[in-house]
Amino acid sequence: MLNDDMDLVEPPQKSEVIGTGKGGVGKSTVASHLAAHCAAQGERTLLVCVTSQDDDDLGVKKHDRGRQPDGPSVLDGMGLYRAIHERSPLRPVQDVRPNLDVVPGGEAVGELIPLLMARLMGPEGVGVVLSLARAIQPIAPFYDRIVFDSAPENDSLEQLALAAGRHLFVPTRSDDSSINGMKRIAKNFKSVRRQLNPWLTVAGAFLYASNPSATLLHEEVKGDIRETLGEGTPILSTVVGYREKPARNARKKGLLFSEYAELLPTSAKSYDVAAGRATVADVVPDAIVGLTDDMRALTTEMLDYSRKASG
Ligand SMILES: Nc1ncnc2c1ncn2[C@@H]1O[C@H](COP(=O)(O)OP(=O)(O)OP(=O)(O)O)[C@@H](O)[C@H]1O
Ligand SMILES: [Mg+2]
């Protein structure tokens, strides 16, 4: 099945894939915050959302952030779909934040699945899994860092991202189905690494959205991670706390946690809501401060682990 003279594509030195085979564990939230953190530190950064559900944490579509490239719309996953369909370079939305460009996910990314399946049967064979890596190659020199958000519960899309990046970060929650989700990414990781991307390594795994004081539980999850991903898997020490309300509100507003936290001083209070002067949506929860600090600690630690993985 494999072709001897297939050209492999070496991923950019600083390219991070956030992935696990379970939905709703925090992949998109972490990917967008990691990309924004790198951009804020001065790295020219590209976030590529290889997911058919566009959560739009950065407000690209909902709040019209960034500059759309010339030509047909790249929103709703159309840019990613078109680049792979037409075998052309990706055209990101530019300057969604200073130094940060984004290839948005969305419905059209789901349409890649039948396209990839059809091409898999043709002369390209498994090389089709390198489609995203190839679409990135011409624009990679413009960036210092590329971050991939990956799709849950879809092997083809997960493999596309794994074939295009160098470091894999695996977030998980503590429940059994999240642990099972890691088994799926472990399987895809092994086959992509063996057949198409020998540069791929697991840079780290981490527990996401959990009660920070549940240390016994954390130890158990670390055991589960090592059992699933291998004894030598680096495990990050930061555990971002479970804080549903500020996380949900920030996403709705298309704001990073740190940006949402800046609204705290001017926030309406619960008594304003009770008096009918404001709506619940105008109240910024105090917990955004802790959430911002946790996320900053996590993204800082991720970059540390990424450096270690590079050797
Ligand atoms: N620290 C947190 N505490 C509680 N909820 C959170 C936290 N961070 C993110 N969330 C919320 O958890 C939900 C899932 O997060 P997210 O979309 O990032 O996960 P995902 O793994 O990308 O999901 P999918 O697999 O559907 O793409 C979202 O509603 C998000 O707002
Ligand atoms: Mg997601």
Side-chain angles (χ1 to χ4, degrees):
M1 194 164 68
L2 270 177
N3 194 339
D4 267 353
D5 52 16
M6 183 162 50
D7 287 328
L8 299 185
V9 181
E10 182 173 352
Q13 290 295 332
K14 294 178 174 176
S15 49
E16 330 294 329
V17 180
I18 317 302
T20 184
K22 166 73 173 69
V25 301
K27 294 181 294 296
S28 301
T29 310
V30 172
S32 54
H33 282 82
L34 176 66
H37 178 121
C38 297
Q41 290 200 327
E43 292 185 346
R44 285 285 306 152
T45 305
L46 176 66
L47 171 67
V48 184
C49 302
V50 194
T51 153
S52 54
Q53 182 183 317
D54 184 16
D55 292 312
D56 199 15
D57 289 272
L58 296 162
V60 176
K61 183 176 174 190
K62 270 182 294 189
H63 302 277
D64 201 20
R65 298 235 171 78
R67 263 180 297 113
Q68 302 292 321
D70 294 337
S73 170
V74 299
L75 296 176
D76 300 316
M78 286 303 295
L80 185 53
Y81 177 81
R82 211 175 293 111
I84 290 181
H85 183 248
E86 295 169 2
R87 303 179 201 276
S88 56
L90 280 169
R91 295 158 50 244
V93 178
Q94 288 172 0
D95 293 319
V96 167
R97 300 290 189 281
N99 290 324
L100 179 57
D101 294 356
V102 175
V103 174
E107 218 176 322
V109 174
E111 293 167 27
L112 282 172
I113 301 166
L115 174 73
L116 296 170
M117 289 302 158
R119 285 185 179 170
L120 185 68
M121 302 300 163
E124 224 173 321
V126 292
V128 74
V129 180
L130 288 168
S131 306
L132 174 60
R134 294 206 175 97
I136 283 183
Q137 227 176 2
I139 63 166
F142 300 122
Y143 296 99
D144 302 312
R145 175 91 54 181
I146 303 187
V147 177
F148 297 92
D149 179 16
S150 70
E153 290 146 31
N154 185 280
D155 287 335
S156 318
L157 297 179
E158 202 168 88
Q159 290 175 8
L160 269 190
L162 289 172
R166 191 173 281 262
H167 303 135
L168 171 63
F169 282 100
V170 183
T172 188
R173 291 208 176 160
S174 56
D175 59 294
D176 283 347
S177 66
S178 297
I179 305 293
N180 282 332
M182 281 195 291
K183 290 185 185 150
R184 273 236 350 261
I185 193 107
K187 195 167 134 275
N188 285 326
F189 169 83
K190 279 183 198 141
S191 46
V192 169
R193 183 182 152 101
R194 183 162 39 84
Q195 301 187 61
L196 298 166
N197 183 2
W199 298 274
L200 185 64
T201 57
V202 179
F206 55 93
L207 180 60
Y208 184 76
S210 179
N211 176 354
S213 58
T215 46
L216 274 179
L217 173 78
H218 297 174
E219 285 311 308
E220 263 179 49
V221 174
K222 282 183 189 171
D224 290 338
I225 292 176
R226 294 210 164 98
E227 204 175 296
T228 315
L229 297 176
E231 274 309 310
T233 305
I235 301 180
L236 280 67
S237 61
T238 308
V239 177
V240 173
Y242 186 81
R243 297 187 179 92
E244 195 173 5
K245 205 167 172 201
R248 195 180 124 87
N249 288 5
R251 171 171 282 181
K252 270 193 174 168
K253 291 180 183 292
L255 295 174
L256 294 159
F257 295 161
S258 56
E259 294 167 340
Y260 189 43
E262 283 169 18
L263 303 182
L264 195 56
T266 55
S267 165
K269 304 284 179 236
S270 335
Y271 52 75
D272 295 319
V273 178
R277 291 189 293 267
T279 68
V280 177
D282 301 320
V283 180
V284 182
D286 291 332
I288 188 61
V289 176
L291 187 57
T292 303
D293 291 347
D294 283 1
M295 186 55 90
R296 191 176 300 116
L298 177 66
T299 51
T300 303
E301 198 180 17
M302 288 173 83
L303 291 185
D304 225 26
Y305 276 59
S306 168
R307 268 190 297 274
K308 281 186 205 152
S310 294

